[in-house]
Amino acid sequence: MVKKLSFEAKERMVELSGACFWYWNGFYSFLESCGVPRQLHRKYPRDAYNKYELMRALLDELDRAGNSALIGAIASGFYRLNGPLDRDQLDERKAKKLLAEFRGMVGDDPIEAEIRRREQEKAKTAYKEAVASQRAQVKRIEDLNNDFLSLTTTSELSPQQRGFRLEQIVFELLSLSEIEHRRPFRTSGEQIDGHFKYEKFDYLVEVKWTQKPTKQPELSVFDGKIRGKAQSTRGLFISANGFDDAAIKKYSGDMPRIILMTGEDLMLVLSGRVLFADAMKAKVDAIVRLGEILFPLRKVAL
């Protein structure tokens, strides 16, 4: 809301109404350019009111209505005047002196000041919302981390049940990381644990929770799913208990298309020590430069 003008500033606006305008048409045009409706200022006809009286009556009515915005708009109109509108008929020096004094009373153009205030309020609100969103995201990551840690210690769930819950954690993580993804689906008889886009590639997702490290046959099945898709398709295989050395060796080196992530890697992401995007960047870099499909995130963790 535009701040209220002082009594002195309003009185100076009354003086300026006669000091800056000689002809009524120019005065009416000025009021309407400030947003004063014609039906409002015509309530005070020229045969019953002079310009000073009209302005005082108008300001009194707007005050009673609590319309400080329109008062501010009229003040802004005077603030922007450089001199009297009808110079041949008026004392130009007096009008300019009154205008300068009025600007000194007001300080800033009321409309410009209100625009700045609203922009500041908008920026402040956006900042508060961003902070709240960030806090909520940090809290959700912490919750996911606690869920993951509980999966490693509980004895009440089967490996299959743990794998299903781990899958949910992974896709919650993708949502929080604002990565476009799709949850489990079937295609041509194949069960795909999920899919996401990273940079220019599509990644199929496989999530496993087995008692022992994942072995070559399971990677072979996943590799077949990937190679049946477009050349731009890669895979992210997440195994809570890691991978068998023979499986890692088998799918490393010659045009690898599978990136491996262990439970330890995932824990580093969920604990906030490595962002998921940074984890992908490090693993993609390792597979591109070295053909290394299992790059340990502890090498880049904070």
Side-chain angles (χ1 to χ4, degrees):
M1 180 182 293
V2 177
K3 71 175 183 179
K4 287 191 173 182
L5 295 178
S6 67
F7 171 80
E8 292 79 7
K10 291 175 185 173
E11 283 299 302
R12 188 52 48 87
M13 289 166 66
V14 170
E15 288 185 74
L16 288 169
S17 298
C20 293
F21 301 95
W22 177 263
Y23 297 109
W24 278 97
N25 286 343
F27 186 49
Y28 289 147
S29 295
F30 168 77
L31 291 175
E32 289 172 18
S33 72
C34 296
V36 179
R38 175 171 297 189
Q39 64 270 26
L40 179 56
H41 68 69
R42 290 299 172 93
K43 288 169 65 175
Y44 310 102
R46 69 178 74 179
D47 55 352
Y49 294 81
N50 60 36
K51 299 181 186 71
Y52 305 102
E53 292 169 337
L54 187 157
M55 179 58 70
R56 181 171 283 112
L58 181 60
L59 292 176
D60 286 345
E61 180 170 346
L62 293 175
D63 253 338
R64 289 194 301 273
N67 195 342
S68 56
L70 188 48
I71 293 175
I74 299 170
S76 179
F78 280 120
Y79 192 97
R80 298 180 189 193
L81 280 181
N82 293 318
L85 190 66
D86 306 308
R87 297 179 182 180
D88 294 339
Q89 306 293 332
L90 297 168
D91 186 336
E92 184 174 358
R93 181 177 298 179
K94 177 184 176 182
K96 287 186 174 182
K97 179 175 179 293
L98 292 174
L99 285 169
E101 290 173 354
F102 176 70
R103 293 190 192 97
M105 290 178 179
V106 175
D108 291 316
D109 182 336
I111 296 300
E112 293 298 326
E114 177 64 8
I115 290 172
R116 288 196 300 272
R117 187 193 68 79
R118 292 186 182 186
E119 288 175 346
Q120 289 170 354
E121 285 296 319
K122 185 177 179 181
K124 188 185 296 183
T125 299
Y127 174 74
K128 289 180 178 178
E129 290 175 351
V131 169
S133 175
Q134 180 65 25
R135 286 175 179 169
Q137 185 170 12
V138 169
K139 177 64 168 58
R140 188 64 191 121
I141 288 283
E142 289 176 353
D143 291 343
L144 290 179
N145 188 42
N146 290 334
D147 289 348
F148 179 68
L149 292 175
S150 69
L151 289 178
T152 66
T153 58
T154 185
S155 58
E156 299 177 358
L157 300 176
S158 68
Q160 185 177 10
Q161 289 173 319
R162 293 187 199 194
F164 176 71
R165 181 57 192 137
L166 179 61
E167 186 179 283
Q168 292 178 316
I169 289 173
V170 168
F171 283 97
E172 284 290 328
L173 176 62
L174 288 173
S175 293
L176 289 171
S177 302
E178 298 183 349
I179 292 177
E180 181 184 350
H181 65 279
R182 181 181 178 186
R183 291 177 182 259
F185 61 96
R186 293 188 65 85
T187 175
S188 302
E190 291 180 335
Q191 175 64 35
I192 307 295
D193 284 353
H195 158 271
F196 68 91
K197 289 182 176 291
Y198 176 73
E199 293 184 340
K200 297 180 180 180
F201 288 87
D202 292 276
Y203 285 82
L204 301 185
V205 179
E206 186 80 10
V207 181
K208 292 287 184 184
W209 194 301
T210 53
Q211 296 285 10
K212 296 180 179 181
T214 296
K215 297 184 179 295
Q216 181 179 326
E218 290 166 298
L219 281 179
S220 179
V221 172
F222 187 49
D223 184 64
K225 294 178 182 179
I226 296 167
R227 294 187 183 278
K229 306 297 184 294
Q231 188 67 29
S232 61
T233 305
R234 291 175 175 172
L236 175 65
F237 198 123
I238 302 172
S239 175
N241 288 309
F243 300 87
D244 179 79
D245 288 341
I248 297 171
K249 184 177 180 180
K250 167 68 177 175
Y251 289 98
S252 297
D254 184 21
M255 297 180 65
R257 295 173 67 179
I258 301 176
I259 292 174
L260 305 182
M261 180 175 283
T262 65
E264 178 192 19
D265 291 332
L266 187 57
M267 187 178 296
L268 290 170
V269 174
L270 293 174
S271 66
R273 295 180 63 189
V274 182
L275 296 176
F276 183 80
D278 290 340
M280 286 297 299
K281 185 177 186 305
K283 286 184 174 288
V284 168
D285 185 60
I287 200 173
V288 169
R289 290 190 304 107
L290 308 171
E292 183 178 347
I293 65 173
L294 180 53
F295 175 79
L297 290 183
R298 60 178 174 273
K299 292 184 179 181
V300 295
L302 298 174

